[in-house]
Each structure stands twice: as C-alpha cells, then as structure tokens.
Amino acid sequence: MVETVTWQPLDRDALAARLARDIPEGWSVNLGIGIPTLVGNFVPPEREVIFHSENGILGMGPAPAPDKVNRWLINASSQYVTLRPGASYMSHSDSFALVRGGHLDLCVLGAFQVAENGDLANWARSDDDNAPAIGGAMDLAAGAKRIWVVMEHNTRSGDARLLRRCTYPLTAKGCVTRVYTELAVIDVTPAGFAVIDMVPGLTIEALQERTDAPLALP
Amino acid sequence: MIDKSVRSVAEALAGIKDGATVLIAGFAQVGEPRALIDGLIEQGARDLTVVHNTAGRGREGVARLIGEGRVRKIVCSFARSRGSVIFEEVFARGGIELEILPQGTMAERMRAAAAGIPAFYTATAAGTKLAEGKESRVFNGREYILEHALPGDVALVEAWRADRWGNLVYRDAGRNFNPVMAAAATLTIVQTQHMAELGELPPEEIATPGIYVDRLVHVAAGDPPLKN
C-alpha cells in the first residue's frame, strides 16, 4: 500500500524558528554549528536572550551588514557577528569555565545520532576516525543545563537517527533533553522518547516507522 | 627600569630550543601571533610540540610550521577541519603525532598549569572514546576523568596594546587563548599591535598583567585577514 503523504516536513528555517519559539527570555544560550546557528535569527530582539560563543563572547548579536564587518569580532564558527548592548568579552579559559560550571541554560547542538537514554553522538561517524574535529562540543554537552538537539529525523539513506543505543562514538552520555527534527519535537524522559509535537497531519505510526527507538505520547 | 621590549621578532624568539612545547594563541586567525609564528619558522627550532586550537589551515602560519617538518606533535581541538590540508598530508604519512582534546579541557589544562594545579577532574569526555586510558572517579553520582596540567616552555601571544612592563590589553574576540597561554608558559613572548606608555593602560582593562610576560615586540600587523 502506498502511504498518502498529507503532511509537510519543516524546512531548515522553519525548524530553527520552531526551536526558537521555546527559548524563554532571560536564558543564556550557546548555539552550535549549522541549523543551531540559524536559531538566533528567530529569537526576536525584544526577547532578551543572552547568546554565548566559546571564543569568549557573551551577549552576541546577529551578523553585521557587509560594510559594517569588524574583523576582530567572530563567533566560534568563524562567522562575523555583532554585540548586543550588555555584551562582554572573556578569555577562552573563562569562557569554558562558564560552560563547564553549568552556567548556560541551554546549548543547541546538531547530531548524527541520539539515543533514548540521552546519549549524544555528534563528532565522528566511525571509531576509526583518528584525526577528528571535536572543538567545544564535549564541553558543551557535559556542561550546559540543557542540551537540545536539532537534526534531520533520518539519514539521507533513510536510516534512523533516534536510536535505542548510539552506534557512533559518543560526545557525552545521557545529556540530551529534547530533540527537534523536521517532523517532530521529542523529549528524552527517564522512560525514553516522548513525542510532544508533530507537524500537522503526521501520525505517531508514520513517525515510529522512521524511528528506531520506541516513541511514546505524553 | 623594567623594560621587556625587544627590537625584532628574531630577538624575541632567540633561544627557543629543539623539543620545546610551544603554546600558540589565536582563534581562526583573530588574535593569532602570526609574525611570531613566521619568526619561529625562520628561527629553526625542531621537534616541537605545538598546542594550538587547530592543526593549521591553508598553507601559512601553523600549517606551514607543520609542512616544514618542525612539529613532532600537535595538541589541538580541531585536527581534520576545513582547510587542514597540510596537517592531513603529514599525518597520513605518519609524520606527526596528534593529541586531540576538547577545547575546554585544553584551556583548563593550561589554566591549571598557570595556577600550580598538577591535575583536575572534569566531566567533559567522561564515558567517551577520549576517556580511554584516563583515570576516572565518581563524585556525587557523576563520573569525572582526571586531566593533567599542560604547561608550555614557550607561549606566543598577540596583544592589541602593551606597555614596557608587559601589561596587555586585547581587542574584541582577539583575547581568546592569549591570556591563558601567556600565564601557562615559562617564556612568554608577545607581539603587540600598539605600544603604550607605562601608566597609560587603564588598570581595569588589563587582561594579562605583565608578571606573565617575558619579551615584547611591536608588530603593527593590522586587522586579521577578511573571511569569505
């Protein structure tokens, strides 16, 4: 039987906007590379959220106009950024002390895989990768109060990314608290994955077909 | 009179020995002591252990130091990354040893060295492949791994402004690894964009007190290269 598609996945911007909706005023937030970086574009400026960048910035603002670039002001993804009023600079050691000391309310990261126990794999697709790029992901995953992952629900070949156990090398154990995909928002609970939102028209059965680990409705 | 300034990059780098551990600051070319890196290539020390956020990008700077076969071991948080062509080539033929570290662990290991702390426990990387072979211990129900201090024989630093005592002020995100590396090395060498008179730098803006600095050279390097 051919499945009738009556639902529409979110595109990258809509996914970033969906996540941004859930960030309350007052939080201090670090955004990882990729779709996580887009999230900043969808937090309205009147909502006071303090963005952190690992290279020593608190209170980061959006990208500057091309003629207003300050070559000394980049974020951890090497992109030009601006400061919001109230911003401050710090050294790398202070910046990571802030991360590792649990002072960030939220870090949004991309991922290859997330397991139902909250394990995160986002730095290597194989145990044989002997010259990887880790950056600050392990510090952020272990240190922030909450880790929200934003990623595509499945790999390009259709494999599940929401698993019973990760098969790729771990970034941190049991750290992920919520996952946003183009299809659904899923909490990681002591009992496993719980679906708290789905795109209109999608059924839990269709979502489960695309997911390795069991999904519950809250 | 205390005066740490020297007349040339060559003078600033004199005496760096083969086998030295060299901490090289900067993040994505911002706050990177490029004239000192180029000077180190000229200076000729070999068999170096280099601590830097990346294994070099493009063909200049740290990448060139590696390409010229002068680095025995690189300690970094980004090994293979966009533009790390020279490292990958040298690594593939077994020409360089690699120690990969989470960026915060790297910074904290240098901070520990600067503060006289021989080792510390951290939750970062606990339960991952990077924890293999490291001591672990549970505190309050959570697993932590033991990481050791990472001191340098030499640190290469870039400041925005400096006075002759070696007090340093940084510009914008050019601070990054500079203060922690300046504090973690036996011989700290600074290139500064501007020299200031003693007493001119506002004390509350000095991010690196001169006590950590040994040699200072004025290099008006200008803005970091424009990224595309």
Side-chain angles (χ1 to χ4, degrees):
Chain A
M1 198 182 86
V2 177
E3 187 189 350
T4 315
V5 178
T6 55
W7 44 270
Q8 197 64 39
L10 302 179
D11 64 20
R12 284 164 59 93
D13 276 347
L15 177 53
R18 174 63 190 84
L19 191 153
R21 218 170 79 193
D22 295 341
I23 301 176
E25 182 161 66
W27 275 16
S28 295
V29 178
N30 182 294
L31 301 175
I33 296 169
I35 301 177
T37 304
L38 295 178
V39 170
N41 299 341
F42 297 97
V43 175
E46 65 275 14
R47 195 196 304 164
E48 293 194 334
V49 172
I50 300 172
F51 289 106
H52 169 258
S53 184
E54 298 96 289
N55 57 324
I57 310 169
L58 254 185
M60 190 169 56
D67 61 331
K68 291 274 195 294
V69 161
N70 172 357
R71 296 194 195 185
W72 295 82
L73 186 43
I74 57 166
N75 64 15
S77 310
S78 293
Q79 297 160 324
Y80 292 114
V81 292
T82 52
L83 297 184
R84 290 186 59 167
S88 55
Y89 292 121
M90 70 207 82
S91 72
H92 242 85
S93 47
D94 287 337
S95 180
F96 276 96
L98 174 165
V99 170
R100 294 150 70 102
H103 301 277
L104 289 178
D105 295 292
L106 170 68
C107 178
V108 183
L109 291 170
F112 297 136
Q113 298 176 333
V114 174
E116 62 183 356
N117 61 359
D119 287 358
L120 169 67
N122 82 345
W123 65 283
R125 286 184 226 226
S126 152
D127 270 325
D128 304 330
D129 187 352
N130 53 7
I134 292 179
M138 284 191 180
D139 305 284
L140 287 159
K145 285 180 196 160
R146 298 170 188 79
I147 300 294
W148 292 354
V149 160
V150 55
M151 65 178 186
E152 286 168 358
H153 202 89
N154 297 90
T155 67
R156 271 181 207 158
S157 51
D159 292 333
R161 294 173 182 270
L162 290 158
L163 308 173
R164 290 166 196 269
R165 289 293 175 269
C166 293
T167 58
Y168 293 160
L170 295 186
T171 308
K173 279 179 155 176
C175 65
V176 178
T177 50
R178 186 179 282 177
V179 180
Y180 291 79
T181 79
E182 77 282 16
L183 302 179
V185 182
I186 298 160
D187 267 343
V188 179
T189 75
F193 290 129
V195 180
I196 58 170
D197 195 10
M198 288 185 283
V199 292
L202 181 64
T203 63
I204 185 79
E205 292 77 19
L207 189 65
Q208 183 66 71
E209 270 178 38
R210 290 160 174 79
T211 310
D212 171 69
L215 299 172
L217 287 168
Chain B
M1 186 171 96
I2 300 168
D3 189 358
K4 296 176 180 173
S5 52
V6 298
R7 279 156 302 178
S8 68
V9 166
E11 199 180 328
L13 296 167
I16 297 177
K17 293 189 175 69
D18 291 354
T21 295
V22 184
L23 316 178
I24 301 181
F27 187 93
Q29 296 183 302
V30 176
E32 182 177 291
R34 185 53 190 286
L36 295 178
I37 301 169
D38 290 346
L40 183 59
I41 294 167
E42 297 303 313
Q43 191 265 1
R46 312 190 66 82
D47 206 22
L48 301 171
T49 294
V50 167
V51 182
H52 186 63
N53 189 48
T54 72
R57 285 178 182 168
R59 305 201 159 264
E60 300 299 317
V62 169
R64 195 173 137 219
L65 194 63
I66 291 170
E68 305 229 343
R70 306 274 291 285
V71 183
R72 182 181 61 78
K73 180 180 177 183
I74 179 90
V75 181
C76 64
S77 81
F78 287 96
R80 187 179 297 115
S81 62
R82 190 164 40 112
S84 62
V85 280
I86 291 185
F87 164 76
E88 288 179 51
E89 201 180 289
V90 176
F91 188 66
R93 62 174 153 81
I96 190 167
E97 196 184 323
L98 169 68
E99 182 174 355
I100 190 93
L101 289 175
Q103 207 171 117
T105 294
M106 193 170 118
E108 188 64 10
R109 285 181 59 188
M110 291 186 281
R111 198 199 71 83
I117 297 166
F120 59 91
Y121 283 98
T122 179
T124 297
T128 76
K129 199 177 135 183
L130 264 62
E132 285 168 14
K134 291 180 178 170
E135 275 181 60
S136 77
R137 190 169 156 184
V138 174
F139 296 91
N140 302 318
R142 188 172 187 193
E143 189 187 1
Y144 294 77
I145 59 171
L146 187 68
E147 291 284 0
H148 292 263
L150 177 58
D153 297 307
V154 178
L156 305 184
V157 163
E158 188 194 41
W160 179 244
R161 302 179 76 197
D163 63 27
R164 61 180 170 81
W165 280 17
N167 292 310
L168 307 181
V169 170
Y170 302 100
R171 177 162 173 186
D172 297 318
R175 187 176 309 198
N176 58 63
F177 280 104
N178 283 292
V180 72
M181 288 186 171
T186 308
L187 174 66
T188 293
I189 305 169
V190 178
Q191 69 172 77
T192 180
Q193 297 256 359
H194 302 281
M195 281 299 298
E197 291 301 319
L198 198 66
E200 200 185 328
L201 300 176
E204 60 271 65
E205 289 177 21
I206 294 170
T208 294
I211 193 167
Y212 296 117
V213 172
D214 298 286
R215 297 176 190 167
L216 193 60
V217 60
H218 182 199
V219 179
D223 288 344
L226 191 65
K227 298 175 191 308
N228 39 32

